[in-house]
Amino acid sequence: MQKAKGTYDVYGEYGRKVLALENILKDLMQVYNYEYFRTPIFESTELFHRGVGDTTDIVTKETYDFKDRGDRDMTLRPEGTAGIVRSYIENKYYGNPNVPSKIWYYGPMYRYERPQSGRFREFYQFGVEVFGSNDPLTDAEVISIPVNFYKMLGLKQIKVHINSLGDEESRNNYREALKAHFEPHLDTLCEDCKERFKKNPLRLLDCKVDKDLDVMKSVPKTIDYLNEESKKHFDKVCEYLTSMGIEYIVDPGCVRGLDYYTHTVFEVEASVEGFGAQNILCGGGRYNKLVGMIGGPETPGVGFALGMERLITALDFENISVVDEYSTDCYIIPMSDNEKAFSLSVCNALRMSGFKADMDYMSRNLKSNFKQSERLNSKYVIIIGEEEEKTNVLTIKDNKTKDEYKVELEDLVEFLDSKIDECDCCHGGECTCGDECHCGDECKCHSKEEK
Ligand code: HAM
């Protein structure tokens, strides 16, 4: 049996990267004061038709649709925004006096796309949605989240593209301009584009078939059709980004492939050579009509989503590691079957005290057990024989310095606490502890600083 096309398994080093990034994102959302939402992976098909848009590639070509056993039309979510909006409305979150509602989410999304590097059929998105404020401050805050996150991780080769589609009036003016632009060239367009022309000319700009035609290269720019109000909004977003020191490019080609956007749209690109065509790390924008379209009270919204897989590729490209070196605090070796129960109880007690502890489950001899402790990169090894069990005095070996200690069982946690810290400088390794280290004078980082 093999995994389905366009999907992938997570394990080993990749799994550690995913977990580390998820934890950083969770912490970041605390800093930004966002609330966690989780919505179902499948929703009624109609939600995505109304939300993402009937004429988008995502809905017309890429959704996983199925009928459930009750003959209802269901769809695996291709993105997170529509579900969050549905949940916001259904749970009457618009009644929450704490406005704006700032929400984050994370989970798998499904699109039946042609798989290639950076493009999967099941992929993970982290995203935020902010409801209830039309202030350009919220557009700027939302854009700052991925930009700060990428900067925090150390990504250097990123570019922020922003654009504005304007309010309804501006969008209507632009739609007319697009129609006038394409009308004389309809014969040269692909069948899909002819349909797009009739139903939703903005989607002509997503066409992957006609993208090299001259008529595509000379399309009008949304920015030139903004009314005063929309222009003011966009100028403010730019001003606020500048005030946060965020560099951006105003890019008329950034129109996004989903129908719900109004005003600001943005994308962050990994501009690393060799990254491949799927180099958009995240995208988002404002959608002031979506809540109303899905049946809620007219409420402005703005959000973005980033893809986990492309992020990890970008980190790999820039040689950035987000995981600590794999290690264990203690590895416990029972000398024979007789000491297994006692060893397990010691291991259990250490785990309950928060140490990363493991033990021999394979009845290895002493030599292979030391090999195993090295594979686990264990800082300490505890050897338990008949004598140790009888006297409750344990033999503990520092795996790096090879120093040996005799420690009473009741003092074990205190002993390890004094030895094991975030930093491993006490074990002769590279210092990572900053200023404060439990081992004081003998700490190598302090002597390094003094030098
Ligand atoms: P999107 O641009 O369709 O926007 O997707 C956001 C991000 O998800 C992309 O920039 C990319 O990193 C990742 N992504 C999309 N499709 C795939 C795929 N097939 N394989 C791997 N990664 C992928 C949205 O989904 C909007 N809901 C964003 C948003 C939120 N707008 C407002 N709020």
Side-chain angles (χ1 to χ4, degrees):
M1 294 296 287
Q2 289 192 331
K3 60 187 178 299
K5 206 172 160 190
T7 66
Y8 65 96
D9 298 318
V10 170
Y11 54 89
E13 174 78 5
Y14 194 90
R16 287 196 285 279
K17 287 183 192 175
V18 168
L19 283 183
L21 290 167
E22 287 171 2
N23 286 333
I24 297 171
L25 283 166
K26 276 181 207 151
D27 289 347
L28 190 68
M29 285 300 92
Q30 296 261 349
V31 173
Y32 269 93
N33 226 2
Y34 279 59
E35 243 194 296
Y36 177 62
F37 264 47
R38 195 175 72 194
T39 61
I41 284 169
F42 62 93
E43 300 257 7
S44 74
T45 301
E46 184 182 356
L47 173 69
F48 300 110
H49 280 261
R50 269 212 256 168
V52 178
D54 271 341
T55 51
T56 57
D57 275 3
I58 295 182
V59 164
T60 53
K61 298 183 184 160
E62 296 169 5
T63 48
Y64 279 86
D65 302 317
F66 61 98
K67 276 208 190 282
D68 73 5
R69 288 171 195 270
D71 210 29
R72 298 174 199 90
D73 288 315
M74 293 290 162
T75 294
L76 296 185
R77 62 182 184 197
E79 56 101 58
T81 311
I84 295 287
V85 171
R86 197 263 315 129
S87 171
Y88 172 84
I89 299 168
E90 194 169 338
N91 295 299
K92 299 198 169 46
Y93 232 64
Y94 47 79
N96 188 341
N98 180 10
V99 188
S101 299
K102 307 207 289 181
I103 293 162
W104 72 273
Y105 57 92
Y106 173 72
M109 308 291 160
Y110 300 84
R111 294 186 193 173
Y112 192 82
E113 296 193 87
R114 195 170 50 78
Q116 63 182 87
S117 163
R119 197 202 268 156
F120 297 89
R121 289 183 173 171
E122 180 188 67
F123 57 96
Y124 276 70
Q125 274 188 351
F126 162 87
V128 311
E129 312 297 346
V130 178
F131 297 103
S133 168
N134 191 34
D135 196 312
L137 277 175
T138 45
D139 307 45
E141 171 169 307
V142 164
I143 297 172
S144 79
I145 294 173
V147 176
N148 287 344
F149 173 56
Y150 297 145
K151 279 188 190 160
M152 265 172 62
L153 293 174
L155 285 177
K156 293 202 173 59
Q157 307 190 55
I158 56 165
K159 279 189 186 148
V160 182
H161 298 253
I162 64 168
N163 189 20
S164 174
L165 307 178
D167 60 9
E168 216 171 3
E169 185 187 63
S170 311
R171 281 179 56 129
N172 286 341
N173 291 341
Y174 183 64
R175 190 176 302 120
E176 290 314 309
L178 273 184
K179 280 190 137 176
H181 176 77
F182 281 107
E183 194 144 30
H185 307 279
L186 272 183
D187 293 350
T188 61
L189 300 179
C190 70
E191 287 311 307
D192 275 357
C193 275
K194 285 180 185 141
E195 226 16 60
R196 289 174 178 129
F197 178 85
K198 276 192 243 152
K199 291 186 175 158
N200 186 358
L202 191 65
R203 297 279 65 91
L204 283 159
L205 307 181
D206 307 334
C207 185
K208 286 152 198 144
V209 180
D210 292 340
K211 67 180 186 336
D212 294 325
L213 296 180
D214 286 344
V215 65
M216 283 290 180
K217 290 180 186 155
S218 57
V219 284
K221 297 173 181 165
T222 57
I223 284 253
D224 295 333
Y225 293 84
L226 299 183
N227 58 17
E228 264 317 296
E229 201 56 31
S230 303
K231 200 170 158 357
K232 228 163 78 191
H233 187 102
F234 189 54
D235 288 345
K236 278 284 167 201
V237 176
C238 295
E239 178 192 331
Y240 296 148
L241 289 177
T242 306
S243 80
M244 285 187 282
I246 293 176
E247 288 176 24
Y248 57 85
I249 303 158
V250 176
D251 177 359
C254 176
V255 290
R256 312 276 299 129
L258 301 97
D259 263 351
Y260 45 63
Y261 295 112
T262 53
H263 290 286
T264 320
V265 283
F266 79 99
E267 285 177 347
V268 180
E269 172 205 356
S271 62
V272 193
E273 226 189 42
F275 194 89
Q278 305 306 315
N279 64 346
I280 302 300
L281 297 180
C282 73
R286 180 166 280 287
Y287 45 84
N288 286 351
K289 295 280 153 202
L290 185 58
V291 178
M293 271 160 54
I294 294 184
E298 287 285 322
T299 310
V302 54
F304 87 96
L306 66 81
M308 217 39 169
E309 298 76 10
R310 292 182 197 177
L311 168 61
I312 292 177
T313 310
L315 291 168
D316 289 347
F317 256 88
E318 293 203 35
N319 277 323
I320 295 167
S321 167
V322 285
V323 289
D324 295 333
E325 192 191 0
Y326 180 77
S327 71
T328 313
D329 293 327
C330 286
Y331 180 69
I332 299 164
I333 306 175
M335 292 297 282
S336 75
D337 283 356
N338 297 337
E339 292 84 36
K340 280 185 173 169
F342 181 69
S343 298
L344 184 62
S345 76
V346 173
C347 190
N348 192 49
L350 286 177
R351 287 169 176 166
M352 295 294 284
S353 300
F355 292 103
K356 195 172 166 187
D358 214 335
M359 66 178 281
D360 174 31
Y361 299 111
M362 305 301 291
S363 305
R364 296 177 173 92
N365 64 31
L366 203 56
K367 194 171 161 206
S368 349
N369 257 324
F370 270 100
K371 274 235 160 73
Q372 175 66 1
S373 80
E374 278 162 23
R375 271 183 227 117
L376 296 177
N377 199 8
S378 188
K379 292 178 184 132
Y380 289 92
V381 173
I382 302 178
I383 303 154
I384 298 180
E386 202 181 333
E387 187 64 16
E388 279 78 10
E389 180 165 356
K390 204 162 74 197
T391 60
N392 274 345
V393 177
L394 307 181
T395 308
I396 302 178
K397 207 165 176 159
D398 185 319
N399 235 0
K400 230 167 210 167
T401 62
K402 307 294 175 212
D403 290 341
E404 218 173 271
Y405 305 88
K406 293 277 180 200
V407 178
E408 296 255 1
L409 181 59
E410 60 180 20
D411 300 330
L412 179 62
V413 167
E414 204 184 325
F415 171 82
L416 290 173
D417 255 338
S418 74
K419 289 278 180 195
I420 296 174
D421 203 303
E422 298 282 310
C423 97
D424 58 5
C425 58
C426 327
H427 298 269
E430 271 297 301
C431 164
T432 52
C433 72
D435 288 342
E436 301 220 352
C437 180
H438 67 89
C439 58
D441 288 343
E442 288 176 28
C443 170
K444 290 210 169 61
C445 52
H446 292 292
S447 52
K448 232 190 235 172
E449 271 170 21
E450 279 152 21
K451 272 182 211 163

